Amino acid sequence: RKHPGSVAIWAAVYIATIIVVIGLVAAILGVGFIGQLSELSRITPGQTPDLSALMGSVAAILGAAALLIPIVIIITYVLQAAVIRIVLRPEQSSIGYLRLGGDEVRLFAVRFVLGLLIFVVMLVCVIVCALLARIHTALAVLGGLATFGLLVFLSIRLSLAGPQTFATKQINLFGSWSLTRGHFWQLFLTYFLSILLYFGISLAVGIVFGVIG
């Protein structure tokens, strides 16, 4: 409520990023790519499909992805840092509190490492579930539910690592564990409502662009 202009700038940057990504992908794919897939679907047994044009389109997509993914990552963490900055350092005003520097790099680093950690935990749990499936399907289902619950629990308990790293200007991977102690369900509800809001806004934007298109 105190910074509606900054929120509007974040929304504009976010929407502009989506438009650029969709536009570039659509330009690369075009009608030709859809036609190439359609031709492949009509290939009869014994025919040798010509994949040269299709592989060229795939190479173009991969090239665009190599360019777009880093840009999207940078914009994502610049926006995340701006949201944290407006709360923790409101005196560091700039256009939408957007900056690109050490804070953003540290934020990316801590998210990346914690993401790897959670991925490793998930991989171990998947292996355990696969072993349980050999014993009984029900055990694998229970293991899957337990895995989901564990991942949600870890994600929430470690969710303040980014803001803490931002506040102290030092990478702190596990300090969030003590900060979130006793606040799990409050944070869970907050994140759940935020996700619902995010999907609601995304759906509304998609409908608007669908009508305009």
Side-chain angles (χ1 to χ4, degrees):
R1 291 181 299 176
K2 295 181 180 179
H3 304 277
S6 296
V7 175
I9 291 173
W10 301 340
V13 171
Y14 176 75
I15 294 173
T17 302
I18 294 177
I19 293 174
V20 170
V21 170
I22 293 176
L24 186 56
V25 171
I28 292 173
L29 294 181
V31 179
F33 183 75
I34 305 301
Q36 292 161 12
L37 293 179
S38 178
E39 289 180 8
L40 286 178
S41 67
R42 292 194 296 267
I43 294 294
T44 58
Q47 284 185 308
T48 302
D50 182 12
L51 299 178
S52 58
L54 180 62
M55 294 307 296
S57 297
V58 171
I61 294 172
L62 293 177
L67 174 65
L68 287 175
I69 290 176
I71 294 176
V72 170
I73 289 175
I74 290 172
I75 293 174
T76 298
Y77 283 97
V78 165
L79 289 174
Q80 287 187 14
V83 174
I84 298 173
R85 182 176 291 110
I86 205 171
V87 176
L88 298 181
R89 301 178 198 160
E91 72 282 358
Q92 293 183 349
S93 60
S94 56
I95 300 177
Y97 287 82
L98 300 173
R99 295 187 178 189
L100 181 58
D103 290 326
E104 288 70 22
V105 173
R106 284 187 292 270
L107 187 60
F108 168 77
V110 73
R111 301 282 196 204
F112 180 77
V113 173
L114 290 179
L116 283 179
L117 174 63
I118 291 177
F119 174 77
V120 170
V121 172
M122 181 183 68
L123 187 60
V124 172
C125 290
V126 168
I127 294 174
V128 172
C129 289
L131 295 175
L132 291 175
R134 295 190 174 189
I135 302 174
H136 199 284
T137 304
L139 292 177
V141 173
L142 291 175
L145 293 175
T147 297
F148 178 76
L150 176 61
L151 294 178
V152 170
F153 177 77
L154 289 177
S155 298
I156 292 177
R157 290 301 303 272
L158 298 174
S159 62
L160 296 184
Q164 186 176 31
T165 294
F166 189 97
T168 60
K169 292 191 175 185
Q170 293 180 342
I171 293 178
N172 191 330
L173 295 175
F174 302 108
S176 172
W177 200 264
S178 58
L179 291 177
T180 57
R181 184 179 295 116
H183 302 286
F184 174 82
W185 291 110
Q186 292 173 296
L187 291 170
F188 174 82
L189 182 60
T190 300
Y191 294 144
F192 180 73
L193 294 176
S194 299
I195 291 172
L196 289 182
L197 180 62
Y198 170 80
F199 280 110
I201 294 175
S202 298
L203 179 61
V205 171
I207 292 174
V208 170
F209 281 108
V211 172
I212 294 176

